Amino acid sequence: MLNIYLIRHGETAWNADNNRYCGRTDIPLTEKGLKQAETLRQQLLSIKFDGVFSSPLQRAYTTAQIATGANVIKDERLIEADFGGW
């Protein structure tokens, strides 16, 4: 049976700023975000991943690397939706 796990990236400075929308802005995780990814890693230790795919944005990619300990494949199709100029 195929199991698919979807995880959300850890906290960024913009998330901490009243959940400000990041969109495609490529900002890193905060210290709290890094700790969140490590906490998730502890929860996923018993799972063997056959493949891990991530958006190329560093907040998602870093979270995936830390949380799974796997070789993460960046996939442009997973990048945040682009809503154009507001």
Side-chain angles (χ1 to χ4, degrees), residues 69-80:
N71 181 31
V72 179
I73 300 165
K74 292 180 183 179
D75 189 325
E76 292 285 332
R77 296 172 296 179
L78 298 174
I79 200 165
E80 188 77 29

Side-chain angles (χ1 to χ4, degrees), residues 4 8 14 16 32 36 45 49 51-52 55 80-81 83 86:
I4 297 175
R8 187 175 193 278
W14 285 17
K32 180 178 179 181
Q36 289 170 333
L45 280 175
F49 294 97
V52 178
S55 159
E80 188 77 29
F83 298 112
W86 290 40

Side-chain angles (χ1 to χ4, degrees), residues 2-19:
L2 175 67
N3 290 309
I4 297 175
Y5 297 85
L6 301 175
I7 62 172
R8 187 175 193 278
H9 61 77
E11 181 188 77
T12 67
W14 285 17
N15 297 138
D17 182 25
N18 291 320
N19 206 22

Side-chain angles (χ1 to χ4, degrees), residues 2-84:
L2 175 67
N3 290 309
I4 297 175
Y5 297 85
L6 301 175
I7 62 172
R8 187 175 193 278
H9 61 77
E11 181 188 77
T12 67
W14 285 17
N15 297 138
D17 182 25
N18 291 320
N19 206 22
R20 183 174 162 193
Y21 179 68
C22 295
R24 290 185 174 209
T25 305
D26 197 11
I27 59 176
L29 297 174
T30 61
E31 283 298 317
K32 180 178 179 181
L34 293 168
K35 289 177 184 172
Q36 289 170 333
E38 183 56 42
T39 297
L40 182 57
R41 177 179 170 77
Q42 296 305 314
Q43 295 170 349
L44 299 176
L45 280 175
S46 65
I47 299 170
K48 181 192 177 301
F49 294 97
D50 293 327
V52 178
F53 301 87
S54 169
S55 159
L57 296 175
Q58 62 180 314
R59 62 184 179 265
Y61 184 74
T62 301
T63 300
Q65 284 183 307
I66 294 170
T68 65
N71 181 31
V72 179
I73 300 165
K74 292 180 183 179
D75 189 325
E76 292 285 332
R77 296 172 296 179
L78 298 174
I79 200 165
E80 188 77 29
D82 185 356
F83 298 112

